[in-house]
Amino acid sequence: MKNKSFRHLWIGQAFANLGDIFYVVGLISLIYALTGSALYLSLLPFTTTIFRFFSSLLAPLIIDRFTLKRILVLSQLWKTILLIILGIYITNFNQAFAVVALIFIAMISLLDGVAAPVCAALTPQLVPKEELIRANGFLNVITQTIFVSGWPLGSVLLISTSSSFIIWMTVILYAVSTICTIKIEITEQTAETIHSSSRDSIKSGWVAIRKKPTIRTLISLDFITTLASSVWVAAVIYVYVEQNLKLGEQWWGYINTSYFIGMIVSGLLVIRFAKLLEKYICFFIIFGLFLSALLTMLFGANTNPAIALLLACLYGLPEQIRDVFYTKLIQDQASEKTLAKIYAVWGAVINLTFACSVLLLGYITETYGVKITFQFSSILIFIAFLYAIWKRKDFQGKEI
């Protein structure tokens, strides 16, 4: 945890994550001001998700040919360059801007799809094994804190300055992130001397997952719970606030904030009691799934605003603990580039699953009502709970 390179890693990623939020805030404002179209706005998350999916599929090609640090540095450097070009372009604001903005978002998403698994794979190289749970919990707390504070901060900056100013501020954040990434010192394998075919490189992550029962179980659980977790997206919660709570749309923001506060508190608990929690990983994963299913069911049936905030906060607790344990178990199963390829495959599966589940749960909400949507999600998580009980031995899988 006190390793300087780990410090450079989390600081660099913190600046990058904050920049990711700011540039989206700036582009949303610019695109809506130009087009006034909700369709263009909806294309932002769609473009991000779909291009991250394709990038994750192709990430093993890059991972086989370059060191992990070099991939991370080049990814962040090119994101900075792209934002500089975009910042220059918006000074000549014209009718083609909305399309150009989507092109830039697509290119940045391609870079993110490669950088995300690499960043996750670097952590075990920088932190001692006995500190991994604390380190993963710390990284999650930083990420969730930035997510909670970044959107309102970006909105305040947008009101007090301009979209162009926010884009250039993002350039600075990305530049700082690049510098921090360059300062990471790590001894890792150089680019592989045996050049596998492109097809073999792409397949390598899937092959590694097939050979690891623990990872197969974890990715199956994450697939099921991702289908269910889309119930917390804005489209569904807006309807929940209107139909169940019968309050104004600002309550979506309150519920969203409460959810992330729960995740932050959970991360802090993981950091504080890491050694104790590590002894009971299997129990906390299984019990956490049961608790998530129960809280989802209760939240969907609830009509009291105060209880809704409490349930949203409580839901964040098992979600965060489970995520930290998943990360720890995966890191125990593979090393260096293989780990990065596994994360790339995982990211591809989860991005595609999330995109499909948003459409599925949106359809269920519109057709049958928001209560049925939460009941459906609760059943999915309960299925994951039963599957985890069946596969519980995989949570003590053999380490590398």
Side-chain angles (χ1 to χ4, degrees):
M1 290 286 285
K2 296 180 180 180
N3 183 293
K4 287 185 178 180
S5 291
F6 178 69
R7 191 180 307 129
H8 290 314
L9 177 67
W10 74 257
I11 292 175
Q13 290 306 299
F15 277 97
N17 290 338
L18 188 59
D20 289 342
I21 293 174
F22 278 7
Y23 99 83
V24 171
V25 170
L27 288 183
I28 285 175
S29 175
L30 282 171
I31 291 175
Y32 192 72
L34 177 65
T35 66
S37 171
L39 174 61
Y40 271 107
L41 294 185
S42 66
L43 286 174
L44 290 176
F46 174 80
T47 301
T48 298
T49 302
I50 203 68
F51 277 89
R52 281 193 177 189
F53 165 72
F54 287 121
S55 180
S56 296
L57 286 180
L58 299 176
L61 292 173
I62 309 298
I63 293 168
D64 271 346
R65 288 157 177 76
F66 301 97
T67 61
L68 300 185
K69 177 185 172 180
R70 186 178 182 187
I71 294 171
L72 197 60
V73 170
L74 290 176
S75 171
Q76 198 56 49
L77 177 62
W78 274 106
K79 284 174 66 175
T80 308
I81 293 172
L82 287 172
L83 257 293
I84 291 174
I85 296 172
L86 180 60
I88 294 172
Y89 179 83
I90 63 176
T91 59
N92 301 312
F93 196 76
N94 59 48
Q95 292 298 314
F97 175 79
V99 175
V100 173
L102 291 174
I103 293 173
F104 274 94
I105 289 173
M107 290 189 289
I108 290 174
S109 298
L110 287 174
L111 294 170
D112 283 335
V114 175
V118 169
C119 179
L122 279 178
T123 303
Q125 311 300 318
L126 303 176
V127 178
K129 181 178 179 297
E130 62 274 10
E131 294 287 330
L132 267 180
I133 286 186
R134 289 186 63 214
N136 292 328
F138 177 76
L139 289 173
N140 282 11
V141 168
I142 294 297
T143 300
Q144 302 302 339
T145 301
I146 288 174
F147 195 88
V148 170
S149 59
W151 289 103
L153 179 59
S155 299
V156 170
L157 286 173
L158 183 63
I159 294 171
S160 57
T161 58
S162 66
S163 299
S164 179
F165 177 85
I166 292 178
I167 296 297
W168 284 109
M169 177 173 285
T170 302
V171 170
I172 296 174
L173 293 173
Y174 279 177
V176 173
S177 176
T178 304
I179 293 171
C180 289
T181 305
I182 291 173
K183 289 185 177 181
I184 296 173
E185 296 179 0
I186 181 172
T187 302
E188 61 172 312
Q189 298 172 0
T190 56
E192 294 182 8
T193 55
I194 300 175
H195 297 288
S196 56
S197 67
S198 297
R199 182 179 179 182
D200 288 340
S201 292
I202 293 174
K203 287 170 55 180
S204 57
W206 299 93
V207 172
I209 290 174
R210 182 172 57 83
K211 292 180 178 179
K212 302 285 186 179
T214 297
I215 298 179
R216 287 204 311 270
T217 298
L218 293 176
I219 199 170
S220 298
L221 289 173
D222 209 20
F223 168 75
I224 299 171
T225 52
T226 298
L227 279 174
S229 64
S230 299
V231 76
W232 297 94
V233 299
V236 178
I237 297 298
Y238 270 132
V239 178
Y240 172 85
V241 169
E242 179 185 349
Q243 292 185 0
N244 280 30
L245 304 186
K246 302 187 186 307
L247 295 170
E249 62 182 21
Q250 68 272 18
W251 271 83
W252 169 81
Y254 302 153
I255 291 172
N256 196 47
T257 301
S258 183
Y259 169 81
F260 283 104
I261 287 174
M263 298 194 77
I264 292 170
V265 171
S266 178
L268 293 174
L269 290 174
V270 168
I271 295 172
R272 177 65 179 83
F273 301 105
K275 294 188 181 297
L276 175 63
L277 295 173
E278 189 172 5
K279 297 178 181 179
Y280 306 100
I281 286 180
C282 181
F283 168 78
F284 279 107
I285 289 177
I286 294 174
F287 178 72
L289 287 167
F290 175 78
L291 188 58
S292 294
L294 178 62
L295 290 171
T296 301
M297 180 69 73
L298 292 174
F299 185 88
N302 172 65
T303 57
N304 184 289
I307 295 178
L309 294 178
L310 175 62
L311 292 173
C313 182
L314 291 175
Y315 184 86
L317 295 174
E319 284 283 295
Q320 178 76 310
I321 291 177
R322 194 165 62 246
D323 183 59
V324 171
F325 286 160
Y326 282 10
T327 303
K328 170 63 167 60
L329 288 171
I330 295 169
Q331 291 169 342
D332 286 343
Q333 296 294 308
S335 61
E336 215 168 289
K337 294 196 171 186
T338 300
L339 183 59
K341 294 175 185 177
I342 289 171
Y343 273 119
V345 171
W346 194 310
V349 170
I350 297 307
N351 276 321
L352 184 60
T353 302
F354 182 80
C356 294
S357 66
V358 168
L359 296 177
L360 173 63
L361 295 187
Y363 170 78
I364 294 174
T365 302
E366 183 175 344
T367 306
Y368 302 103
V370 72
K371 289 185 179 181
I372 299 298
T373 305
F374 276 93
Q375 290 172 5
F376 176 75
S377 294
S378 178
I379 292 171
L380 284 176
I381 301 174
F382 189 76
I383 291 172
F385 160 71
L386 296 177
Y387 182 75
I389 293 177
W390 180 38
K391 292 288 189 178
R392 60 187 179 277
K393 291 183 180 180
D394 290 342
F395 301 136
Q396 287 87 33
K398 184 179 178 181
E399 297 181 359
I400 58 170

